[in-house]
Amino acid sequence: MYDIDHYVAGRSIPGRSGRFGPVYDPARGIEQARVAMASAAEVDAAVGSAAEAFPGWRATALSRHAEVLFAFREILNARKGELAAVLTSEHGKVLNDALGEVSRGLENVDFACGIPHLLQGSFSEQVSNGVDVTTVRQPLGVCAGITPFNFPAMVPLWMLAGAIACGNTFVLKPSEKDPSASVLLARWFSEAGLPPGVLNVVHGDKEAVDRLLEHPQVKAISFVGSTPVARSIHQRATAGGKRVQALGGAKNHMVVLPDADLDLAADAAVSAAYGSAGERCMAISVVVPVGEIAQPLVDAIRRRLPAIRIGAGSDPAAEMGPLITAAHRDRVASYLDAARAEGATLVADGREVTVGGVTSNGSGFFLGVSLIDHVEPSMAVYRDEIFGPVLAVTRADSFAAAVDLINRNPWGNGCALFTRDGGAARRFQFEVECGMVGINVPIPVPVAWHSFGGWKDSLFGDLHIYGPEGIRFYTRAKVITSRWPDPATSRVDLGFPQNR
Ligand code: NAD
């Protein structure tokens, strides 16, 4: 057992609220640490530290910002194995997947290293006689980030890299379920030369988040998590005058047209549905085969399932680890009986899995992979975000019916089409109401120099996260109109200013 402390003003700060939360080792099903839960006063201390650090960091040369990011990038790259091991230990994902997560986070740091270029403003010379106009982008001040359990390193890096590079200071409230990665990132930023107070980490739950939402010195909130919380955070923080991007949950569909390569589509569906035990906001949770490919596709997916190796994330042979908590595992499993009761067909039942001789109800929070066919949009297994290794199949009669299904779904994070028909692909990407679309790519997470974000109930706010939209989110524009007149020609003129 160990304690996980806050990190404020460049120092580890033990919690003083007297409240702690359990941090499990999901592969063994035991509590391995306890995390301090911040009180409002502890959040205030972190925001105070960020506010104090802001004027100095804002005034620091851009080239220095880039230098710190480069140094941090080197540290992160050199120690990615250490970070991945922490992710595996607290989240449960397999080491290889954890390393992939770190690499995608690293890309955001790579992008932010180009901050001097990204913050270049614009200039118009001689817009009127002797008048020039310049637009610059300036940081907002103290920004806060609230992150989910499923990407304990990558999602914080989506926010931190851009926010800090732009000259803001930051308070991060990571998921209380796997909080150690955030503290490690903050320590490594300090080691890279980030001044104390520029990045602070406070742990906690709703109490800490509520204080961040109402704190007058917090200018912007980036949130990633489930839809109900995202919606509420967006409403409350915008009402308080803050800038907000709140990314929510998802139900990602993968449409397979009859002309698609069957094996390629089946491989993609299995990888995208069960990777990271389905605990990815871009996981495929519904496959939509169109027409006669339905039965062959279901058979091809089913044939691949027994080969998936489930085990502790630290086992190099394992391809899929446990779920985050016992409660989440049981909630996911509850959808299987519910689906059968509603008339769907349980093609594969993940509750029957054994890991190291123990069934999925044994010590770790394991659940095997499930495949459910003949799922209708009215069923709970379709309506809810399950966030586990459960793949639903909703058959469609036509391309138009498949697109209509996606467009009627309240979420719009990602979706994919598998086909060899370029015309169908063009029509799909034009018509579908989703923020991120894959054509023969099942998990279309944009690279770091594009931005990430869904539509509809998957994102509340106007700007997507990271990439160019991230830079816009963490800065505000200022337009300077200047003239250096010759004092000899100066006179009083009460007329409306003219361009001449
Ligand atoms: P969650 O909404 O339960 O928690 C997210 C964060 O909000 C955590 O830091 C948590 O402490 C805090 N929180 C929880 N309840 C709160 C409340 N009532 N008031 C204030 N703060 C609260 O999400 P999770 O279970 O950690 O993560 C899984 C969810 O995140 C899924 O819905 C998944 O789709 C979503 N997600 C979305 C994206 C995306 O980019 N759209 C990325 C990753 C995860």
Side-chain angles (χ1 to χ4, degrees), residues 246-278:
L247 283 73
K251 197 83 189 174
N252 305 311
H253 298 63
M254 172 175 154
V255 176
V256 183
L257 295 187
D259 73 334
D261 183 301
L262 185 68
D263 286 324
L264 195 139
D267 285 341
V270 170
S271 313
Y274 306 118
S276 203

Side-chain angles (χ1 to χ4, degrees), residues 76 124 216 242 244 254 284 333 376 397 414 418 484 486:
L76 186 55
S124 301
K242 299 188 195 319
V244 187
M254 172 175 154
I284 291 296
E376 295 297 325
D397 293 339
F418 276 70
W484 296 95
D486 177 355

Side-chain angles (χ1 to χ4, degrees), residues 146-151 155 158 173-177 204-206 209-210 213 223-227 229-230 232-233 236 247-250 280-281 385 387 413 452 454 458:
I146 299 145
T147 53
F149 80 81
N150 65 324
F151 287 111
V155 171
W158 284 359
K173 205 301 285 169
S175 170
E176 66 277 31
K177 296 188 177 113
D205 49 13
K206 187 173 184 308
V209 173
D210 285 349
L213 296 184
F223 172 87
V224 178
S226 58
T227 288
V229 184
S232 140
I233 282 191
R236 292 165 59 204
L247 283 73
R280 288 180 180 144
C281 64
E385 183 186 37
F387 222 57
N413 217 36
F452 179 110
S458 295

Side-chain angles (χ1 to χ4, degrees), residues 91-115:
H91 174 282
K93 62 178 70 180
V94 297
L95 258 181
N96 205 20
D97 191 30
L99 275 170
E101 166 177 357
V102 178
S103 300
R104 292 307 294 257
L106 200 62
E107 285 177 17
N108 295 106
V109 184
D110 292 344
F111 176 77
C113 284
I115 196 65

Side-chain angles (χ1 to χ4, degrees), residues 225-227 231 246-254 281-286 382-385 403-416 428-429 431-438 444-446 451-461 464:
S226 58
T227 288
R231 182 186 279 116
L247 283 73
K251 197 83 189 174
N252 305 311
H253 298 63
M254 172 175 154
C281 64
M282 289 290 277
I284 291 296
S285 45
V286 188
Y382 179 86
R383 287 196 323 268
D384 297 352
E385 183 186 37
V403 172
D404 188 51
L405 180 73
I406 298 175
N407 290 354
R408 278 188 288 118
N409 191 281
W411 284 294
N413 217 36
C415 63
F428 185 78
Q429 69 192 54
E431 292 179 4
V432 82
E433 292 179 18
C434 265
M436 293 167 284
V437 180
V445 173
S451 298
F452 179 110
W455 286 13
K456 301 188 278 186
D457 285 357
S458 295
L459 175 88
F460 302 90
H464 289 191

Side-chain angles (χ1 to χ4, degrees), residues 201-218:
V201 180
V202 282
H203 303 291
D205 49 13
K206 187 173 184 308
E207 185 174 338
V209 173
D210 285 349
R211 183 58 191 152
L212 285 170
L213 296 184
E214 72 194 19
H215 200 297
Q217 279 179 303
V218 174

Side-chain angles (χ1 to χ4, degrees), residues 25-356:
D25 171 351
R28 290 188 293 158
I30 55 160
E31 190 176 330
Q32 61 173 325
R34 49 176 214 165
V35 60
M37 299 293 219
S39 63
E42 288 169 300
V43 172
D44 284 356
V47 174
S49 147
E52 204 178 310
F54 177 63
W57 180 241
R58 197 219 137 162
T60 302
L62 264 185
S63 52
R64 177 66 191 148
H65 288 186
E67 215 170 75
V68 171
L69 280 154
F70 269 115
F72 173 71
R73 192 222 172 267
E74 290 310 298
I75 293 173
L76 186 55
N77 192 39
R79 300 180 196 163
K80 58 184 168 206
E82 186 184 335
L83 181 57
V86 168
L87 300 181
T88 293
S89 151
E90 290 185 1
H91 174 282
K93 62 178 70 180
V94 297
L95 258 181
N96 205 20
D97 191 30
L99 275 170
E101 166 177 357
V102 178
S103 300
R104 292 307 294 257
L106 200 62
E107 285 177 17
N108 295 106
V109 184
D110 292 344
F111 176 77
C113 284
I115 196 65
H117 172 77
L118 296 167
L119 279 187
Q120 271 176 1
S122 61
F123 178 75
S124 301
E125 189 183 48
Q126 195 70 353
V127 297
S128 180
N129 195 11
V131 177
D132 303 326
V133 176
T134 311
T135 298
V136 294
R137 297 202 72 88
Q138 298 189 338
L140 307 176
V142 179
C143 301
I146 299 145
T147 53
F149 80 81
N150 65 324
F151 287 111
M154 183 183 77
V155 171
L157 286 169
W158 284 359
M159 304 172 181
L160 297 176
I164 289 173
C166 288
N168 300 286
T169 55
F170 209 88
V171 179
L172 174 65
K173 205 301 285 169
S175 170
E176 66 277 31
K177 296 188 177 113
D178 43 19
S180 290
S182 288
V183 179
L184 216 47
L185 293 175
R187 286 217 186 95
W188 292 349
F189 258 117
S190 295
E191 221 179 293
L194 196 71
V198 175
L199 170 56
N200 308 276
V201 180
V202 282
H203 303 291
D205 49 13
K206 187 173 184 308
E207 185 174 338
V209 173
D210 285 349
R211 183 58 191 152
L212 285 170
L213 296 184
E214 72 194 19
H215 200 297
Q217 279 179 303
V218 174
K219 302 300 177 201
I221 301 271
S222 297
F223 172 87
V224 178
S226 58
T227 288
V229 184
R231 182 186 279 116
S232 140
I233 282 191
H234 181 257
Q235 283 168 356
R236 292 165 59 204
T238 49
K242 299 188 195 319
R243 187 175 285 195
V244 187
Q245 52 182 186
L247 283 73
K251 197 83 189 174
N252 305 311
H253 298 63
M254 172 175 154
V255 176
V256 183
L257 295 187
D259 73 334
D261 183 301
L262 185 68
D263 286 324
L264 195 139
D267 285 341
V270 170
S271 313
Y274 306 118
S276 203
E279 291 174 329
R280 288 180 180 144
C281 64
M282 289 290 277
I284 291 296
S285 45
V286 188
V287 164
V288 188
V290 174
E292 73 266 22
I293 199 167
Q295 195 55 47
L297 184 65
V298 170
D299 292 340
I301 293 174
R302 182 178 43 75
R303 277 197 305 274
R304 283 161 169 76
L305 304 187
I308 297 175
R309 292 189 298 268
I310 298 166
S314 55
D315 175 355
E319 295 172 290
M320 193 186 107
L323 297 186
I324 186 75
T325 57
H328 185 55
R329 188 253 332 260
D330 295 345
R331 179 183 169 274
V332 172
S334 73
Y335 280 95
L336 302 175
D337 284 337
R340 195 164 19 207
E342 286 187 285
T345 311
L346 207 45
V347 179
D349 185 338
R351 292 169 296 187
E352 290 158 6
V353 71
T354 55
V355 179

